[in-house]
Amino acid sequence: MKHLLKLLDLSGEEIIDLLNLADQLKYERRHGIAHPHLAGKTLGMIFQKSSTRTRVSFETGMIQLGGYPLFLSSRDLQIGRGEPVQDTARVLSRYLDGIMIRTFAQKEVEDLASYGSIPIINGLTDFCHPCQVLADLMTVREYKGSLSGLKMCYIGDGNNMANSLIVGGLKVGMKVSVACPQAYQPDQQVLDFANANGGFTMTDDPCAAAENADVIFTDVWASMGQEGEAEKRRIAFTGYQVNDEVLGAAHADCMVQHCLPAHRGEEITEKVFEAHADEIFEEAENRLHAQKAVMVRVMG
Ligand code: CP
Ligand code: NVA
């Protein structure tokens, strides 16, 4: 694995290998066993959008691996003043051992990888959120013992999270059902992959999607960069909420996952969120372990 640009680029075996390594790194961290796999290496972290989890988990993860993280806000980089990503990639490749980038266009991440000569890790684009979904799969496997054959359900916006969950879930052998409003469907490239893969269903009815689910995911109705559409989206997504009625259609021991930040009363009720808080915050913790596994595989 040279980069982590999107889960579509990985095989199911590569995903499982990352989850196995993440489990091992989590065990070692819990037991105080040092693992300086990236001693002396430097990771640049470019952020063109806000972040709590991604920034802190990559930064601390890199330190735990013996390396050094540099937080690079696009407000301060020349990239924020229009320096082309092709030039930024070639310059930063001469200083750093890897780059994690959170930005808008997926093309920018792909360009960094093709013009640079160091590993690139996608820390969220409008298209996908692969690091998050590796942590999500890790968490589901931790609670359920396995992934293959389980039913994953996603309710809400056909956004970056939906795109990565569909691809990641199907690649590890899960069944995936999605409920989105007609006008907010996942990316066509993802739907083409899903429909060719089998095990995928798409509906506009949340309760139908949740039927016999083992895990239900949701995400915000308005993502970063869509703040101006928030009101329009609040109307379009009414009914696309993870609540008691939706959970009633799922298996009794169904998990609930949310990448966070969550908007209680919108995509998820306060009651469901708090009832599943342990699973949701384990998921947040697993960002650290899953991303350390990614860094070891691409930069090690
Ligand atoms: N889930 C997630 O990526 O959180 P941040 O936006 O806080 O990084
Ligand atoms: N879909 C959300 C995920 C945040 C982690 C966004 O892009 O803002």
Side-chain angles (χ1 to χ4, degrees):
M1 222 176 108
K2 180 148 172 33
H3 306 284
L4 177 60
L5 308 180
K6 55 186 180 299
L7 293 181
L8 277 169
D9 300 336
L10 269 55
S11 66
E13 291 71 29
E14 282 173 312
I15 294 175
I16 296 294
D17 167 68
L18 287 170
L19 303 186
N20 292 343
L21 178 56
D23 283 350
Q24 185 191 330
L25 293 168
K26 182 172 186 174
Y27 175 89
E28 289 172 1
R29 170 101 189 122
R30 287 273 162 92
H31 291 81
I33 302 166
H35 38 224
H37 299 296
L38 300 181
K41 302 217 168 166
T42 307
L43 176 77
M45 312 188 304
I46 302 175
F47 282 91
Q48 311 231 35
K49 290 175 175 172
S50 304
S51 171
T52 296
R53 281 145 287 270
T54 306
R55 181 195 170 168
V56 178
S57 55
F58 265 106
E59 195 159 332
T60 52
M62 190 60 184
I63 293 168
Q64 290 165 20
L65 290 170
Y68 188 83
L70 273 101
F71 174 70
L72 304 168
S73 163
S74 62
R75 271 197 294 273
D76 307 321
L77 292 175
Q78 294 288 6
I79 212 170
R81 295 179 58 248
E83 182 169 17
V85 72
Q86 296 91 321
D87 296 355
T88 306
R90 285 177 284 189
V91 172
L92 294 183
S93 292
R94 291 168 184 258
Y95 305 142
L96 300 166
D97 299 295
I99 295 175
M100 182 251 103
I101 178 166
R102 165 168 287 197
T103 189
F104 295 88
Q106 178 70 17
K107 183 171 185 307
E108 203 170 310
V109 178
E110 308 268 348
D111 280 353
L112 262 188
S114 39
Y115 285 91
S117 55
I118 55 174
I120 306 297
I121 301 170
N122 183 341
L124 179 146
T125 59
D126 292 343
F127 174 65
C128 64
H129 199 358
C131 291
Q132 177 69 53
V133 169
L134 291 172
D136 297 347
L137 295 173
M138 177 183 176
T139 313
V140 174
R141 194 171 73 160
E142 203 172 307
Y143 275 80
K144 296 286 181 190
S146 64
L147 292 169
S148 182
L150 293 185
K151 179 174 173 181
M152 169 198 287
C153 165
Y154 175 87
I155 293 172
D157 188 15
N159 61 12
N160 42 16
M161 278 303 301
N163 290 334
S164 286
L165 282 167
I166 293 168
V167 174
L170 292 174
K171 286 206 179 223
V172 298
M174 298 176 83
K175 290 171 277 184
V176 178
S177 69
V178 172
C180 299
Q182 289 292 345
Y184 295 94
Q185 308 259 315
D187 188 272
Q188 193 57 47
Q189 192 188 354
V190 168
L191 292 179
D192 290 345
F193 165 80
N195 289 322
N197 190 87
F200 176 69
T201 51
M202 184 83 212
T203 168
D204 57 9
D205 177 353
C207 284
E211 205 177 315
N212 297 325
D214 296 292
V215 54
I216 296 179
F217 285 86
T218 188
D219 186 18
V220 290
W221 292 342
S223 285
M224 289 182 276
Q226 299 171 334
E227 290 79 5
E229 298 174 24
E231 196 43 46
K232 180 178 141 204
R233 285 172 166 268
R234 230 189 303 279
I235 296 163
F237 287 101
T238 302
Y240 289 84
Q241 184 188 58
V242 178
N243 52 29
D244 283 341
E245 190 192 347
V246 163
L247 273 174
H251 281 312
D253 61 353
C254 182
M255 293 174 70
V256 174
Q257 295 276 269
H258 194 308
C259 64
L260 304 174
H263 292 198
R264 294 165 169 82
E266 293 189 11
E267 76 275 4
I268 190 164
T269 60
E270 168 85 21
K271 186 172 167 221
V272 168
F273 184 93
E274 290 304 334
H276 293 270
D278 287 348
E279 295 158 10
I280 292 169
F281 291 105
E282 199 68 38
E283 174 189 15
E285 175 182 332
N286 285 341
R287 294 291 304 278
L288 171 71
H289 311 297
Q291 289 158 194
K292 283 166 75 178
V294 171
M295 288 190 282
V296 169
R297 282 293 178 258
V298 300
M299 295 170 67

